[in-house]
């Protein structure tokens, strides 16, 4: 039987187009810090008319197969997760079958998603599922949903959404601890996790969530809570569950006492979610990719706990054990292949270039390189996307100047709503210094 | 490790409202036999405004749990399959979480689906997956899809859809035979399957599909094809793959030579799909339920091959081994609990009653019992459903006179698109003679 089953390889793709949250604050007339501190977010990636959930998935999966020289025939099972759908009947998976077919046809819908993660699962992996420890919780809730089929946007109850998330976290953690204690004969606490990775709609919720786990440990009288923290949390020990979700004081105090543990265990997981925004299904794994990027040389032997959440709602807390692994399926190579720094730097290069053009320092010699950077351009793009949503019988600009070689992009939606994609010449490659390599 | 994992229990639900295909032919001005012989269909069930994919799923799952006295806490994993979605983000599974929660909230969208199947999977089952034999095929095709998010109806390319289905069948069968031959050291043919169950959008395609398998066996020189059949099929042995999908002569001859095998192996699986119509995801299992209903006392020791297909497309051929099993998880009890005859008879009772009212033989003493039987009423209902599709802020008639006790029904969609359901008093029960039992 296959042993040490887990993640052998990972690839992440996010669009180069993004908008700074600080600039958005100004544009929206929001108070300074509302998005950057209130939500804890730095930047938000978005798809222009040439990218969507299918093109990003095609790019990520193709790139993973190429960079690890995996023959598609070696893949025994293929699963696709997405927060939302392109078509109410035809699955995203079937679009990706193009990769696995010998002939290349061409054909998705923009969903406002802004990243795709591909993972190869198999035996003898450097990232092993510790599946005996797992806690799940599912419930029927209207926290975030998309009942208006003609609209790109969800119906969201922000307050309910946060409470649902934290209640699900509590419940999953309770079951997770129960399983651990039953099998290991000792109490579990956050001290037993070297890192904790959260589904990350916005960073502030991740901060609150980690603080909430510490509060759980406090209520369970676990060893992770020192005397100082105990003293500060004791005024809240008699709150009912409901009260504890509503208490701003508890939120503040628990974040304060968990700050140093947060910096050590969680902060290294926050880079991509803060820089790219809410990636829905990809969000948890983008946070995990941030950890690999930041800490790959120190992760061997470590335990990482992950909390997965989908509105509506379903949630699971599960555990991974990390090993260095064998090349190419090893932590250092996974970090090299994902090249998170290069991809972020490439966005920055575009941004700098744009600023120089906008400020008249440089002339725009290549229209394609002008990124939709200022918030006004972002808003214009969103308007075009709204107009295009659910539309048929149009061709896109096919403007892929900003895209790296090997990136898939949407070229046309025909009169029968059939979608066609092209791949920019070359393999998907961004150099570590953020410049584009010449593809072959 | 768990052994003999498979289906322990099944329940099927379809709405009592239906329209005769023969009456539809007349109403549509179609030639006589176009639907009944051309498609091979007898009757079509449909949801009125008080039922939808969520209410039917709630009814089927609740009924299974009640009739087998299963505590929801015993369920370790819960999977929901549906051809289409109610909401672009919130999963159907989360609606069903109501069943598993201690508190009863109330809350789906009509999708034109017309049946729901619930199955309990576990060890020591009477219906065991022979998972070593399995052939899958997936491909990117636009045979049937729903890109127009504001419309209830799909875009269908009928001819392409049939060719895609038959090509997928051929490919799955090829892989299935390959696996069988590799593991068993002998050739597989349809003679090795006691019954074959197909995804059944309409019965004619099932007839063609079985004939196609026989043609495959002929081309592979398998033992299932006798000399007479060989003689009749030999003129087609040099057709290319493409030609073979287009040839009406081959279709006719292969159906003719496979007729007696079809009657023995396939015909017992066709009852519910012919009576209820296209059930999409539930279709294959409704066909399998028909087999259990018709043959449960003769199935112990038999091998049943199933072909699952979803447009877009993904498909798998897999094998089941049947055993009598231990009460309550045994074939005879599964047949008793599903009570297919009773459910079909109950529809018939309503229909007869309606006819008597329509013909003035009886007075309608109970408006709720007037079924939407004549095609005009069916068309009216579809118009109401189109109007209601994607709508919010309305209450339904709550008219559940036609529904059996224990059936869930839609009562309201509020201004936030939240859906509310009620359960008709009593457990879901239809007597074998087709009358309704008093629920408790």
């Amino acid at each position: 039987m296959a042993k040490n089953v887990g993640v052998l390889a990972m690839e992440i793709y996010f669009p180069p187009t993004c908008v700074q949250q600080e600039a958005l604050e100004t544009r929206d007339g929001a108070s300074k810090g509302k998005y950057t501190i209130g939500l804890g977010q730095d930047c938000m990636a978005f798809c222009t008319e040439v990218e969507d959930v299918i093109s990003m998935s095609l790019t990520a999966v193709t790139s993973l197969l190429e960079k690890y020289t995996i023959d598609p025939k070696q893949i025994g099972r293929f699963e696709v997760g997405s927060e939302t759908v392109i078509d109410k009947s035809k699955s995203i998976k079937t679009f990706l079958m193009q990769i696995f077919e010998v002939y290349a046809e061409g054909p998705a819908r923009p969903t406002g998603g802004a990243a795709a993660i591909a993972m190869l699962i198999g035996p003898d992996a450097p990232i092993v599922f510790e599946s005996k420890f797992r806690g799940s919780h599912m419930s029927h809730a209207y926290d975030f949903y998309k009942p208006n089929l003609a609209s790109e946007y969800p119906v969201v109850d922000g307050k309910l959404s946060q409470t649902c998330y934290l209640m699900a976290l509590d419940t999953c953690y309770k079951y997770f601890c129960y399983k651990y204690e039953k099998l290991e004969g000792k109490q579990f606490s956050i001290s037993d996790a070297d890192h904790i990775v959260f589904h990350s709609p916005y960073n502030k919720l991740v901060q609150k969530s980690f603080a909430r786990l510490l509060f759980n440990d406090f209520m369970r009288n676990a060893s992770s809570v020192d005397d100082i923290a105990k003293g500060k949390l004791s005024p809240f020990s008699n709150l009912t569950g409901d009260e504890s979700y509503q208490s701003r004081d508890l939120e503040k105090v628990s974040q304060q006492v968990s700050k140093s543990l947060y910096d050590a265990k969680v902060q290294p997981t926050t880079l991509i979610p803060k820089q790219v925004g809410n990636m829905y299904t990809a969000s948890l794994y983008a946070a995990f990719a941030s950890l690999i990027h930041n800490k790959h040389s120190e992760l061997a032997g470590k335990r990482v706990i992950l909390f997965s959440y989908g509105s509506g709602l379903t949630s699971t807390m599960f555990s991974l054990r990390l090993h260095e692994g064998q090349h190419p399926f090893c932590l250092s190579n996974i970090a090299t292949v994902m090249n998170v720094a290069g991809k972020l730097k490439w966005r920055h290069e575009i941004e700098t270039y744009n600023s120089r053009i906008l400020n008249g320092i440089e002339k725009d010699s290549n229209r394609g390189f002008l990124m939709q950077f200022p918030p006004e351009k972002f808003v214009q793009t969103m308007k075009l996307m709204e107009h295009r949503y659910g539309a048929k019988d149009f061709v896109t600009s096919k403007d892929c100047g900003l895209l790296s070689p090997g990136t898939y992009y949407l070229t046309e939606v025909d009169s029968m709503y059939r979608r066609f994609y092209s791949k920019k010449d070359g393999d998907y490659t961004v150099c570590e210094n953020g410049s584009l390599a010449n593809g072959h």
Side-chain angles (χ1 to χ4, degrees), chain A:
Chain A
M1 210 179 132
K3 283 208 171 147
N4 294 319
V5 172
V7 180
L8 288 166
M10 288 177 82
E11 176 59 302
I12 182 166
Y13 177 80
F14 47 85
T17 37
C18 63
V19 59
Q20 294 292 340
Q21 295 284 3
E22 205 172 344
L24 258 190
E25 282 170 1
T26 312
R27 198 266 167 197
D28 293 353
S31 57
K32 194 163 169 54
K34 184 169 184 189
Y35 303 160
T36 49
I37 297 164
L39 294 175
Q41 292 296 105
D42 296 334
C43 193
M44 177 168 63
F46 59 93
C47 289
T48 64
E49 51 145 12
V50 295
E51 293 195 273
D52 61 23
V53 61
I54 304 297
S55 70
M56 293 194 295
S57 304
L58 284 165
T59 302
V61 172
T62 305
S63 175
L64 185 148
L65 295 176
E66 283 170 1
K67 287 182 182 151
Y68 289 86
T69 54
I70 306 283
D71 181 345
K73 288 195 189 70
Q74 294 176 267
I75 308 289
R77 189 179 174 93
F78 186 64
E79 294 282 354
V80 177
S82 175
E83 177 269 345
T84 188
V85 294
I86 281 284
D87 185 288
K88 289 188 295 169
S89 176
K90 182 171 163 63
S91 71
I92 294 175
K93 176 147 107 171
T94 62
F95 282 92
L96 297 177
M97 282 304 125
Q98 296 169 82
I99 297 170
F100 297 89
E101 285 165 15
V102 283
Y103 54 91
E105 272 190 11
R109 153 133 310 127
T111 61
I117 299 257
M119 287 184 284
L120 180 68
I121 310 293
D124 306 318
I127 301 160
V128 179
F129 299 117
E130 245 188 337
S131 38
K132 58 186 173 175
F133 308 135
R134 195 168 50 201
S136 290
H137 174 65
M138 300 179 195
S139 178
H140 170 47
Y142 279 107
D143 53 341
F144 172 110
Y145 54 114
K146 293 186 171 172
N148 185 347
L149 301 174
S151 162
E152 199 174 0
Y153 301 111
V155 177
V156 190
D157 182 332
K159 181 127 194 72
L160 176 64
S161 181
Q162 181 177 308
T163 306
C164 282
Y165 183 104
L166 294 173
M167 284 178 70
L169 177 69
D170 283 355
T171 310
C172 286
Y173 189 55
K174 189 179 79 181
Y175 290 136
F176 185 95
C177 291
Y178 170 79
K179 287 241 182 97
Y180 184 92
E181 285 153 26
K182 204 171 117 183
L183 292 166
E184 300 290 301
K186 55 182 179 185
Q187 194 181 34
F188 184 88
S189 80
I190 51 175
S191 306
D192 297 298
D194 295 294
H195 294 285
I196 305 186
V197 190
F198 296 89
H199 172 70
S200 309
Y202 52 93
N203 178 257
K204 193 74 181 182
L205 187 57
V206 172
Q207 296 173 35
K208 289 180 187 174
S209 296
F210 182 74
R212 184 86 201 170
L213 291 184
L214 188 89
F215 180 64
N216 271 273
D217 277 1
F218 163 73
M219 295 294 280
R220 298 163 62 238
N221 205 15
S223 60
S224 58
V225 190
D226 63 25
D227 287 345
I228 299 169
K230 273 183 193 156
K232 292 194 172 163
L233 289 170
S234 61
F236 306 100
S237 60
N238 291 322
L239 293 185
T240 65
D242 258 4
E243 286 166 351
S244 76
Y245 297 116
Q246 309 307 327
S247 168
R248 297 297 292 264
D249 290 336
L250 170 58
E251 201 175 281
K252 201 179 289 176
V253 170
S254 58
Q255 275 182 253
Q256 187 201 326
V257 300
S258 63
K259 178 77 172 60
S260 63
L261 282 173
Y262 175 89
D263 288 345
K265 292 178 191 289
V266 184
Q267 195 277 333
T269 74
T270 60
L271 176 67
I272 304 173
K274 284 175 80 161
Q275 285 292 329
V276 173
N278 189 356
M279 292 160 276
Y280 298 95
T281 308
S283 160
L284 175 67
Y285 302 98
F288 182 63
S290 307
L291 179 67
I292 307 256
H293 162 68
N294 281 316
K295 296 280 180 186
H296 59 89
S297 62
E298 308 163 26
L299 287 174
K302 299 283 172 76
R303 173 185 282 138
V304 180
I305 305 295
L306 289 87
F307 175 65
S308 176
Y309 180 86
S311 291
L313 60 89
T314 70
S315 58
T316 296
M317 184 174 279
F318 59 104
S319 178
L320 300 175
R321 271 287 187 190
L322 275 56
H323 310 276
E324 179 47 31
Q326 297 265 312
H327 188 86
F329 304 128
C330 59
L331 298 178
S332 55
N333 191 48
I334 291 174
T336 304
V337 165
M338 288 196 300
N339 187 18
V340 172
K343 286 169 188 164
L344 289 175
K345 197 146 189 296
W346 163 234
R347 295 203 314 189
H348 182 68
E349 295 292 317
I350 300 173
E351 202 178 310
T352 311
Y353 182 79
N354 278 339
S355 304
R356 292 169 65 86
I357 291 165
L358 289 167
N359 295 322
I361 300 167
E362 198 157 326
K363 270 200 184 157
D364 182 15
S365 54
N366 180 345
R367 200 190 61 81
F369 266 76
L370 182 61
M371 192 201 178
Q372 331 286 341
F373 155 66
E376 291 69 28
K377 287 265 180 190
F378 168 66
V379 173
Q380 277 171 27
T381 303
M382 288 302 104
K383 287 227 168 97
L384 174 65
M385 301 299 274
E386 278 170 36
H387 176 69
R388 284 276 168 83
Y389 189 69
K392 59 178 176 177
D393 215 1
F394 64 86
V395 293
T396 71
S397 65
K398 295 172 195 165
D399 181 352
C400 55
L402 285 175
L403 305 179
S404 311
T407 304
Y408 283 84
Y409 59 97
L410 180 70
T411 58
E412 184 188 350
V413 177
D414 75 6
S415 62
M416 297 283 288
Y417 293 98
R418 290 176 299 203
R419 304 175 77 82
F420 297 92
Y421 295 85
S422 285
K423 188 183 180 191
K424 189 167 169 174
D425 279 348
D427 290 343
Y428 177 55
T429 315
V430 182
C431 293
E432 283 200 49
N433 67 5
S435 65
L436 295 182
N438 282 324
H440 57 264

